Amino acid sequence: MRVVFVGPPGAGKGTQAENIVAEYKLFHLSTGDALRAAVAAKSPIGIEAEKYMSSGALVPDEVVVGVVVERLDEAKDGCLLDGFPRTIAQAEALDKVLAEKNAPLDVVLELAVPEDELFKRLASRGRADDQPEVIKRRLVAYREQTEPLVGYYTKAGILRKIDGLGTVEEIYGRIKAVLDEYK
Ligand code: ADP
């Protein structure tokens, strides 16, 4: 099973992703985590990525696509891509790589949460990029660059929307009901 997880910053993707990969035994690839690790390691990619991440902008497509492609081979028995793709160009690059492997995506989960709730959640989280001005820019980046993926994957017939309001358990129940159709 190959799954993409999309949703705005603060929607709770990270929390739900932990549950999903444990239960469905999927390889978890979070580009946010991978980039933060590169930043911490001060690798060339990390040094480049940090400039964008600290301001709330997206890291350039070619940098992120490189990070993902080199790790996709670890995903023999299925994967959960979390935070990738985040632009149409990234989605097209992913489709191309997966087509070459004869391993297309099965389903894209959109975790939907209203913006006022996102702001509240992010402001209370306290990560380095959770400052109010940076949060605002991340939400704008989501709306302008990532939300078009909803149309892209709807057209492909693989988008499933999940209501992201409720307790962690309630939301996970909704995700499970969808993923069990693809097992
Ligand atoms: P959140 O979902 O809360 O924004 P992430 O951990 O997914 O957190 O991402 C943090 C930051 O990492 C983003 O604001 C962006 O700068 C960068 N990033 C992560 N994934 C991508 C991606 N696919 N394309 C470009 N930038 C990315």
Side-chain angles (χ1 to χ4, degrees), residues 150-168:
V150 170
Y152 180 89
Y153 287 122
T154 300
K155 226 183 246 169
I158 56 173
L159 188 93
R160 301 291 296 269
K161 185 171 179 152
I162 308 284
D163 174 4
L165 285 178
T167 66
V168 170

Side-chain angles (χ1 to χ4, degrees), residues 40 63 68 71 81 85 94 114 116 151 182:
V63 175
V68 172
R71 298 199 56 196
L81 301 181
L94 177 65
D116 54 342
Y182 297 87

Side-chain angles (χ1 to χ4, degrees), residues 54-71:
S54 59
S55 75
L58 294 186
V59 175
D61 289 332
E62 58 277 14
V63 175
V64 181
V65 169
V67 168
V68 172
V69 167
E70 75 180 19
R71 298 199 56 196

Side-chain angles (χ1 to χ4, degrees), residues 7-11 13-14 30-33 35-36 49 52-61 64-65 68 82-87 90 122 125 127 129-130 134 138 141:
K13 294 194 303 292
S30 158
T31 44
D33 288 350
L35 292 169
R36 277 186 290 278
Y52 299 91
M53 295 172 75
S54 59
S55 75
L58 294 186
V59 175
D61 289 332
V64 181
V65 169
V68 172
D82 165 7
F84 180 91
R86 241 181 172 91
T87 64
Q90 291 178 17
L122 289 166
R125 189 167 68 177
R127 208 170 67 193
D129 55 354
D130 289 338
V134 181
R138 283 160 59 210

Side-chain angles (χ1 to χ4, degrees), residues 111-123:
L111 194 57
V113 176
E115 213 161 279
D116 54 342
E117 171 72 15
L118 295 172
F119 209 87
K120 265 189 261 166
R121 292 187 191 177
L122 289 166

Side-chain angles (χ1 to χ4, degrees), residues 9-183:
K13 294 194 303 292
T15 307
Q16 297 297 341
E18 299 293 327
N19 291 332
I20 296 169
V21 296
E23 178 153 359
Y24 296 89
K25 311 270 180 287
L26 302 176
F27 173 69
H28 182 197
L29 182 46
S30 158
T31 44
D33 288 350
L35 292 169
R36 277 186 290 278
V39 170
K42 297 193 162 56
S43 71
I45 285 178
I47 290 166
E48 172 74 5
E50 218 234 328
K51 297 186 261 178
Y52 299 91
M53 295 172 75
S54 59
S55 75
L58 294 186
V59 175
D61 289 332
E62 58 277 14
V63 175
V64 181
V65 169
V67 168
V68 172
V69 167
E70 75 180 19
R71 298 199 56 196
L72 267 183
D73 282 333
E74 294 172 59
K76 290 273 178 286
D77 301 316
C79 57
L80 177 69
L81 301 181
D82 165 7
F84 180 91
R86 241 181 172 91
T87 64
I88 296 282
Q90 291 178 17
E92 289 171 347
L94 177 65
D95 281 348
K96 194 159 157 245
V97 177
L98 293 180
E100 280 161 12
K101 293 180 193 290
N102 247 322
L105 292 174
D106 294 293
V107 59
V108 175
L109 302 175
E110 179 202 359
L111 194 57
V113 176
E115 213 161 279
D116 54 342
E117 171 72 15
L118 295 172
F119 209 87
K120 265 189 261 166
R121 292 187 191 177
L122 289 166
S124 66
R125 189 167 68 177
R127 208 170 67 193
D129 55 354
D130 289 338
Q131 307 303 317
E133 282 312 306
V134 181
I135 292 174
K136 265 186 220 152
R137 256 181 261 132
R138 283 160 59 210
L139 290 173
V140 170
Y142 181 77
R143 228 183 294 130
E144 293 180 352
Q145 294 173 270
T146 306
E147 210 155 49
L149 291 179
V150 170
Y152 180 89
Y153 287 122
T154 300
K155 226 183 246 169
I158 56 173
L159 188 93
R160 301 291 296 269
K161 185 171 179 152
I162 308 284
D163 174 4
L165 285 178
T167 66
V168 170
E169 291 73 24
E170 281 163 352
I171 297 161
Y172 186 58
R174 294 172 198 144
I175 291 172
K176 217 170 122 50
V178 171
L179 290 183
D180 282 346
E181 294 176 30
Y182 297 87
K183 265 205 294 208

